[in-house]
Structures are given as C-alpha cells and as structure tokens.
Amino acid sequence: MRLRIYIFVLSQILSLSSSWAQSCDLEIKGYVKDEFSKTPLSYTNISIEETGGGITADSAGFFHLKNLCEGEYHLKLSHLGGETDRFFIKLSRDTLLTLYLKHHIEFLEEVQIKGEARSDLQLQNQKVLGKEQIQKESGKALAQMLESISGVSTIKGGGGISKPVIHGLYGNRVAVLNNGIAQAGQQWGNDHAPEIDPNTAQQISVVKGVGAVEYGSNILGGIIKVSPGNISPDPHIHGLINYNFQSNGLGHSLAGRLEKSDDWGAWRITGSLKFNGDQRSPNYFLTNTGTREANIAAQWDKNVNYWWKSRLYYSLFNTELGILRGSHIGNLTDLQNAIGNRVPAFTADTFSYKINPPRQVVQHHLLKWENHFLFPDQSSLTFIYGGQLNDRKEFDVRRSGRSEIPSLSLFLQSHFADVKYQKTLESGLSFKVGTQGKFVDNNNNPETGIFPLIPNYRKYNSALYALLYSGENRLMYELGARYDYQLYQVATINVGPPAFVERFEHSYHNYALLGSLKFTHNSQFTSRLNLGMAQRSPDINELYSQGLHQGVSGIEEGDRSLIPETSMKAVLSNTLIVGKQFFLESTAYLQNIDNYIFLEPEDEYRLTIRGAFPVFRYKQTGAQIMGWDLLAKFTPVEKWEWITKYSVIRGHDLSNDLPLVYMPANNFFSSISFLPEEQGNFHFDRLSINAKYVFRQNRLLPEQDFLAPPDAYFLLGAEWEGHIQLGESKVAFSLQAENILNTVYRDYLNRLRYYADDLGINIRLGIRYEF
C-alpha cells in the first residue's frame, strides 16, 4: 500500500515538473486573405478564445501571436464587411498559416473547399450565399433567399411556394443540387417548391452560366448548389440555436445544429421547425396561406485512411402548405369576376393558423453515400449513390365531406449513381471523366377517385461526360461534353368512354458542349466568357398533363408530340475592382432555344366538378432570351457602403414574333449601409436601408394573358444586425423590415396575382446563439 502511495506522489511530481517545463514560447504567424480575391485583408481582428488575447493584422494582413503554450486553440477572425469565422488549431510547434476569410456575399465568386481538386465551376459566373446570410434568413424558403442575387427572380404560387428563376428560365431548366444530388421530387410543377431545408446548408451557390455538364442535361438556365460543407476537425462540440419571428403570418421558425469530430468520424445533426399562419396583404388577410415544416438532417464523415474518405448523409423534409382559398372558384361566372378583383373571394376577417383545403402535404427523403479514393499518382476515383423518396399529396375543396381525401397523390422513388475519375498531369492539364445512371419510378396512389394530372411513368437515364481544365495565372479555360440517353415508359388513362390504360414509350438522345474562358487582364480587371450548347428532353408534365393543377389553380394540358429543346447560350462577364473602394460587375447574356417549351394561357375557362379554372397548354416555339445584370459596390468613406443592382431581360417568341410570357420584369435594387467598428462585448455590425423598384412588364400583348401585367411597384426595407460576445460563444441579433410603406402591389411572376395582392409589411426578428 505504502509503495502505491509513493508511486502516485512521484507520478504527480513528475507531471507537475513536466507542466512547469512545458514551453510557452510558441508562435503563430501568418496572413489573412480575402477568399474571393486572394488579396491581403488589412486590419483583421484575430482573437484566441481560450486565452482572451488577440491582435490586429497589419496593413499587409500579417499577424504574429506570441508566447503560446502547446495545446488546442480556436482562432476567431472578424473583418469589416465580412463574415466572422473560426479556425481550430492544435499547436505543438511554431506555425505559419494563411487564413482565408469570406467577404461580403455579393462579391464572392470562387469558392475553395479544402481537399477538393480544381472545380469545373471556377470559370463560371457564380454567386454564393455564406452561412451567416443563410442563418440570418432562416425561416425563408430556398428561392426567397436567392432573390438577393442579381439576375435571380422567383416564380410564386402563393405566400409560401416559390421557385428560383435564373435569367428568365426556371423549373426543369434549372438544376437544383441538394448536397451534389439533383433534386428528384415533383419538380415539374411551378407550384412545387424545392423540398430542401436551407438550414442544412453552409453555403448556397448560383451558377448563371450554361453550367457544368457534370450535373445533368437540365442546365439551360443555370445551377443551384445547396452544400452542407465539410465538418470542422475541431474535437469539441459546437453548434447553434436560431429562432426567427415574422410579423406577417405571425410565423415562428426554430433551427439547431450540433457537430463534433471524433476518432470514429466527424458528425453533424441539423433540425428545423416552421409554423406560419395566414399571411396578409396591405388591406386583407390572404386566407389559408399558412405553412408547417419539420426537417432533420445528419452527416457523418470518415477518413478511413489517407487514401479513402467516406461521407454518409441523410435528410428528411416535411411540409404542409396552404393554397389561397380565393384562388379556387366554383363556377365560370364567379371565376371571371374573381380574376383581377380587388379582394379575393372567401377572404376571412380574422387571422388564423388553420390550414384547410386547398393544401399540399409533402415528405421527402434523401440518402447520399460518397466514397473518394486517392491514388499515389494523385489521381482520384469518386463513387456517389443518391436515393430519394418523395410523397406528395394535394387536397382540394371537395363536396360531401371528401376534402380530406387527396385529389392528387404521387409517390416517387429515384436512384442515382455517379462514378468519376480525375487526374492532373505534369503539364498542368486536368481532366475528369464519368458515367451516371438514374432511375425514376413515379406512381399515382389509387386513393383520389380522380383521373390523375400526370400518368404513372418510369424514367431511365444513362450518361457519359468528360471535362478538361487548363491554364494558370492570367488565362484559364475549360471544355466539357456530355451525352445522355433517356427513356420514358408511360402508362396513362384514356378517359374514353370507356376508360382504358394506354402505354407509350419516348426515347431521347441529348448532347451538351461547354467552353469557358477566364482572362485576368491585370490585378483589377477580369473577364469571363462562357459558351454552351445543351439539349433538354420534354418532361412528363409537358407531355402528358391533363387536368387541374391545383397549386396554380389552372387546367393544364400537355402535348405528347413535343421534342427536345436545343439551347445555345453565351455569357460574358467583366469584373473591375479598384482597391477596397469600388467593385463593378457587368454580365451580358444571349440565349437562343429551338423548340422552347412554354405554358401558354388560352382564351378559355373550363367548368369542372372541382370548380371553374382558366386553361393553359404546353406549346413549342423558337425563343430568344437576352439580358444584362449590373452589380456595383462603392465605399465612399470608411464604414459606409453603397450597393446597387440592375437587371434587364427580354424574351421573344421568334416563330410567332411575340413576346415570351412569364419573363421577369426589369428591376432595380439599391442599399446604403453603415458598418461601425467593434467596441466592447456588444458589437453593432450593420445598419442599412434598401429600396427595390420593379418595372411593369409592358412587353406583353393583352391577348397573351387572362389579366394585363400589374403596375410597377416600389418596396422600401431596412435592416439592423448586432451581436454580443460571451467568451467562446456568441449571441447574434437581426431586425429586418420588408415593405415598410405597406405598398399595395402584384408581381407578374406570382401566379396568384390573378386573384390577390402580394404581401404587405413584414417585420422579422432573429436571435441566434452560437457555441
């Protein structure tokens, strides 16, 4: 016993001696640079959470931290006009670092991800929403978050339903990638918002060029990438709780995230809830426009060894959406009276959280398994599997107590596999080749008692693609090619009489070619040119729609004789940066689409047992779309920032010499912000006021729509942000006001503009705790 005590005392003495002998003269030196421009960020504040000490980088972005002991540290970096970020470091010797910090979201183009080889999106015109912007906008739908990006609009089917529009194209022409997997819900519907929770993303990218051929054939409009990002190697638990309230609809949203790295892998869990009631226009409630959401996602990353990395990801998305009650009318006379009426029918006098028919209930599962193998010659092989299940039910106003029986009930399963090989040669030339396979099985559940809007079908898709990158410094270029074979097997019901099942097959061969060039004239001026040809097969709704599309309150009719679209697009982008005071980006584009498929309003109203509705038909024509996006930032004096955006777009039906329908109107946005310096524990980050002016879409002829395009409108907004630092944790606040003047307006791209005004004033309060 006595011997054990001696041993214990001796071990404690040795331990203390070791501690006393521990060197505390270690140093961390390095530079802080802008992730976009790679230029030094002067006067960046760098603090060490564990010691409370810190330093400010000099004018060259250089910093030098001294007298540090061996151990684990969290470095926090903050810079005027940029996102605050944290870096974990395990210090055992003097260390030299180069840290990249994100700057303002408007000016991010190139995103570098650790461990990822050169990306084929580097030469594209790309904009990114960072994690702080996503967290601040938590509670909004994905498409609504993207409205802040120049050249991006939204097509809406009501208060909570929206889809992104890039350079006038939307739906099946914009690829939405959820963690690298093409979203495979019922994407054919303009009222079917992407079933993605933005809270799972660390960044959301919008590519406005022809896009990368790696991501499929539906890239005519662009690409939206929702990326959860890598998990930090930090061995401590970190996370956040984010609550948001909005006054319009008395909406509440709550999101949370936890993540940690262990020896057995790095993990992250994200969850969110949303609960909104009836939204309100300036003069009345938009009855039955509430929303419910409950989502969860989990990610596990494992470095099996130096050569093999594996990632498993799962997400579950649940939503229930109310459809404006006044958009479903019982007879033709009431319908004709309702279109363009000042106040929609069935408008209640009081607010309600209740969601009644018409409504949508959607559940979406996504599972992704990715394995990345690195070989000794630095080439790599990647295997990706993605599986998705989508269950959509749409409930209509039905007689005899049948409103709780869905009028549309679809179940979709999708399986996707991608194998790609990538290598960089000694000459600097990089290439990537890959093959993909996809299977989709979509069925109507026999519970509705109604002839389905779209038929049962199976879709088989196989593809080959190749990409080539080269160039460094001033000149970089890339070439890409893709081939797709697509087969539809369709079982549709001929309504007769007598009714019987008919079976059809459609097969398509599609090709895509891409070329991009980036030329850096000097440190201030950069040009990008993107040229591409791509083909897109008609989707199932364009071929076979037959009946009421509830979410947009219209009868839609497809045409099974439609053929693939062929698009030629050119995008030229020029960027000028003059010091830290001035940034200017100009993007011009021209796109010709042969056999462009569009949904044309017909001069017809139809009475059905479900009510009376306007009629739309899918047609093809030759189309030309051209436009120009301008983005400018000016810092006239320190702490003040002015941002402005202007977008112009023209769409023309070349075959019939008519304007194209559903093209966004020209729009202008401007904001002025005050960015004070950090003082004490309370930080006043930003105070800004913004204005948006949307011009009238005056290019349409009266006979091209049921209702003339609405008037131009002006919206005024304001925003305040701040945070309190509590040791290693942070509490962030934001207060946003939208449509402060409570302006009465209707937006041309909102399909419910036929019946009701758009949203009135809205105050959003956000509180976020990060640890």
Side-chain angles (χ1 to χ4, degrees):
M1 181 65 184
R2 180 172 294 177
L3 178 61
R4 289 183 180 177
I5 293 174
Y6 285 151
I7 293 174
F8 174 76
V9 172
L10 181 61
S11 67
Q12 294 301 304
I13 292 172
L14 291 174
S15 174
L16 287 171
S17 299
S18 173
S19 175
W20 292 334
Q22 184 180 12
S23 172
C24 285
D25 58 355
L26 299 180
E27 299 179 345
I28 302 176
K29 298 179 183 177
Y31 291 87
V32 183
K33 295 186 177 181
D34 189 311
E35 188 175 85
F36 161 51
S37 63
K38 306 296 183 290
T39 56
L41 280 177
S42 57
Y43 310 118
T44 300
N45 294 317
I46 302 131
S47 60
I48 303 176
E49 294 182 348
E50 283 75 9
T51 66
I55 196 170
T56 300
D58 63 18
S59 59
F62 178 75
F63 66 94
H64 188 181
L65 298 164
K66 303 177 182 177
N67 302 324
L68 297 172
C69 301
E70 182 178 336
E72 298 176 345
Y73 297 99
H74 296 83
L75 303 183
K76 192 184 81 170
L77 276 66
S78 61
H79 186 270
L80 191 67
E83 289 194 348
T84 300
D85 213 341
R86 303 171 82 209
F87 298 87
F88 172 77
I89 180 170
K90 192 171 184 177
L91 189 66
S92 58
R93 59 180 182 271
D94 291 344
T95 302
L96 181 64
L97 292 175
T98 300
L99 301 173
Y100 292 95
L101 193 61
K102 292 181 173 65
H103 215 234
H104 196 283
I105 61 163
E106 299 297 342
F107 312 102
L108 287 173
E109 286 196 335
E110 298 173 356
V111 181
Q112 291 197 344
I113 301 171
K114 290 180 181 177
E116 183 173 295
R118 182 185 293 175
S119 166
D120 51 325
L121 296 182
Q122 281 192 6
L123 306 189
Q124 308 280 335
N125 187 297
Q126 181 178 182
K127 292 289 177 290
V128 177
L129 295 184
K131 62 181 180 183
E132 286 200 7
Q133 182 71 12
I134 295 170
Q135 291 162 1
K136 189 178 68 176
E137 303 285 331
S138 179
K140 289 186 176 180
L142 173 65
Q144 292 173 316
M145 286 187 179
L146 301 178
E147 283 182 323
S148 60
I149 294 176
S150 62
V152 180
S153 308
T154 56
I155 187 164
K156 300 176 183 174
I161 302 173
S162 56
K163 294 181 78 105
V165 181
I166 301 176
H167 286 170
L169 298 179
Y170 51 89
N172 300 323
R173 301 183 184 94
V174 174
V176 180
L177 304 175
N178 186 358
N179 196 4
I181 304 293
Q183 187 72 6
Q186 307 291 346
Q187 301 304 306
W188 48 268
N190 291 336
D191 62 317
H192 300 170
E195 299 97 345
I196 298 174
D197 178 15
N199 292 293
T200 61
Q202 296 288 296
Q203 65 180 35
I204 302 173
S205 314
V206 175
V207 182
K208 296 192 287 186
V210 179
V213 294
E214 180 181 350
Y215 299 112
S217 58
N218 57 337
I219 53 174
L220 277 60
I223 297 173
I224 295 169
K225 293 183 68 179
V226 181
S227 306
N230 295 330
I231 301 173
S232 167
D234 196 329
H236 311 103
I237 285 188
H238 292 286
L240 65 84
I241 299 173
N242 192 2
Y243 169 77
N244 280 268
F245 169 78
Q246 65 175 39
S247 64
N248 196 329
L250 300 181
H252 306 267
S253 67
L254 180 66
R257 186 181 73 233
L258 285 175
E259 67 179 50
K260 185 177 185 296
S261 284
D262 283 306
D263 293 338
W264 52 272
W267 57 268
R268 175 189 291 150
I269 296 176
T270 306
S272 67
L273 297 168
K274 185 191 290 186
F275 189 82
N276 293 350
D278 288 341
Q279 295 182 308
R280 184 179 170 85
S281 71
N283 297 317
Y284 49 81
F285 288 107
L286 299 169
T287 300
N288 201 49
T289 53
T291 307
R292 310 278 188 275
E293 269 188 30
N295 313 307
I296 191 166
Q299 178 176 333
W300 177 70
D301 292 354
K302 174 67 175 176
N303 293 337
V304 181
N305 53 46
Y306 179 77
W307 310 105
W308 180 13
K309 296 179 181 178
S310 186
R311 168 175 291 181
L312 191 63
Y313 179 88
Y314 169 77
S315 67
L316 170 62
F317 179 89
N318 287 284
T319 189
E320 181 179 12
L321 299 161
I323 307 295
L324 178 71
R325 178 63 184 89
S327 64
H328 280 231
I329 311 298
N331 60 66
L332 289 174
T333 302
D334 288 348
L335 173 63
Q336 290 173 323
N337 291 333
I339 291 181
N341 204 5
R342 191 177 65 83
V343 179
F346 306 105
T347 296
D349 295 329
T350 57
F351 169 83
S352 174
Y353 280 110
K354 193 170 183 180
I355 298 178
N356 294 310
R359 62 190 177 97
Q360 302 176 352
V361 179
V362 183
Q363 185 178 81
H364 189 89
H365 303 259
L366 183 145
L367 176 68
K368 178 186 178 184
W369 186 35
E370 178 175 353
N371 285 280
H372 184 80
F373 303 94
L374 182 66
F375 301 118
D377 63 353
Q378 298 303 306
S379 62
S380 64
L381 181 69
T382 304
F383 168 79
I384 299 173
Y385 166 79
Q388 298 179 69
L389 299 176
N390 186 279
D391 188 6
R392 167 174 285 271
K393 299 183 189 301
E394 298 186 0
F395 298 84
D396 207 348
V397 179
R398 303 178 75 172
R399 297 171 183 165
S400 307
R402 304 179 68 218
S403 293
E404 293 307 313
I405 299 174
S407 52
L408 179 72
S409 179
L410 293 166
F411 185 80
L412 177 147
Q413 61 170 313
S414 166
H415 303 277
F416 167 81
D418 183 9
V419 180
K420 52 192 171 189
Y421 176 76
Q422 188 168 2
K423 185 173 182 178
T424 299
L425 305 177
E426 292 183 0
S427 62
L429 188 71
S430 300
F431 69 88
K432 181 191 294 185
V433 292
T435 181
Q436 296 174 344
K438 187 175 183 180
F439 168 71
V440 176
D441 186 13
N442 196 39
N443 287 286
N444 288 276
N445 295 319
E447 57 181 323
T448 63
I450 295 174
F451 286 113
L453 172 63
I454 64 168
N456 295 348
Y457 71 93
R458 287 180 175 174
K459 181 179 175 183
Y460 304 85
N461 185 219
S462 57
L464 296 170
Y465 61 90
L467 294 154
L468 190 68
Y469 324 92
S470 188
E472 293 182 353
N473 301 324
R474 296 186 64 189
L475 179 63
M476 299 177 68
Y477 67 87
E478 64 177 324
L479 299 169
R482 181 184 178 94
Y483 164 73
D484 276 85
Y485 172 72
Q486 199 170 90
L487 173 67
Y488 276 113
Q489 293 178 335
V490 183
T492 185
I493 299 175
N494 189 318
V495 296
F500 59 93
V501 175
E502 289 185 289
R503 299 185 185 277
F504 299 92
E505 284 194 355
H506 303 265
S507 61
Y508 305 99
H509 299 269
N510 294 329
Y511 303 89
L513 296 171
L514 165 71
S516 296
L517 185 73
K518 176 185 176 183
F519 185 71
T520 304
H521 303 271
N522 51 49
S523 60
Q524 297 178 324
F525 187 38
T526 304
S527 296
R528 288 179 176 80
L529 178 63
N530 178 231
L531 301 171
M533 184 281 290
Q535 292 179 302
R536 183 188 74 89
S537 304
D539 214 323
I540 192 69
N541 61 314
E542 295 161 337
L543 294 168
Y544 284 96
S545 285
Q546 192 67 41
L548 173 63
H549 193 170
Q550 178 216 52
V552 294
S553 305
I555 304 287
E556 294 185 355
E557 296 184 348
D559 180 353
R560 67 186 65 167
S561 67
L562 297 177
I563 61 176
E565 300 175 333
T566 300
S567 164
M568 302 286 292
K569 185 174 184 180
V571 183
L572 176 62
S573 178
N574 291 294
T575 304
L576 176 66
I577 303 174
V578 180
K580 299 183 181 302
Q581 285 72 43
F582 187 68
F583 175 97
L584 179 68
E585 182 185 78
S586 168
T587 302
Y589 56 94
L590 172 65
Q591 185 167 21
N592 275 18
I593 306 178
D594 289 339
N595 305 309
Y596 175 79
I597 301 171
F598 68 106
L599 189 62
E600 184 176 67
E602 302 293 302
D603 187 19
E604 179 184 353
Y605 299 94
R606 188 174 299 171
L607 180 62
T608 74
I609 60 172
R610 299 162 69 183
F613 300 94
V615 176
F616 301 80
R617 288 194 178 90
Y618 285 100
K619 296 184 177 179
Q620 284 192 298
T621 188
Q624 183 179 76
I625 300 171
M626 65 177 75
W628 178 54
D629 299 332
L630 178 70
L631 170 63
K633 173 196 168 189
F634 181 47
T635 306
V637 294
E638 191 176 358
K639 303 178 187 178
W640 287 90
E641 181 181 272
W642 170 71
I643 296 174
T644 193
K645 309 169 199 171
Y646 181 56
S647 292
V648 180
I649 185 169
R650 294 284 184 272
H652 199 73
D653 180 343
L654 299 174
S655 303
N656 301 299
D657 194 22
L658 292 170
L660 281 181
V661 296
Y662 302 128
M663 286 289 115
N666 300 342
N667 57 85
F668 174 84
F669 173 90
S670 189
S671 70
I672 297 175
S673 300
F674 174 59
L675 310 166
E677 292 181 352
E678 295 188 356
Q679 291 182 348
N681 287 331
F682 180 78
H683 305 274
F684 176 20
D685 296 331
R686 176 184 291 265
L687 177 64
S688 66
I689 185 167
N690 60 74
K692 179 179 181 181
Y693 184 81
V694 178
F695 293 82
R696 186 175 186 272
Q697 180 51 280
N698 55 11
R699 289 176 48 79
L700 289 183
L701 303 178
E703 60 271 23
Q704 285 187 281
D705 206 341
F706 299 106
L707 185 68
D711 293 334
Y713 61 88
F714 171 82
L715 301 179
L716 188 66
E719 183 177 328
W720 170 81
E721 296 174 48
H723 73 272
I724 299 174
Q725 197 67 42
L726 302 172
E728 299 179 7
S729 304
K730 181 175 89 170
V731 179
F733 306 90
S734 65
L735 186 64
Q736 298 171 287
E738 301 165 341
N739 192 7
I740 291 175
L741 302 178
N742 212 20
T743 301
V744 177
Y745 73 100
R746 298 189 183 198
D747 188 273
Y748 174 66
L749 291 184
N750 190 340
R751 289 286 296 270
L752 296 187
R753 69 179 174 86
Y754 297 119
Y755 310 101
D757 296 334
D758 221 305
L759 301 181
I761 187 171
N762 183 33
I763 307 296
R764 287 173 46 83
L765 171 65
I767 303 174
R768 185 174 73 250
Y769 175 63
E770 296 181 36
F771 57 93

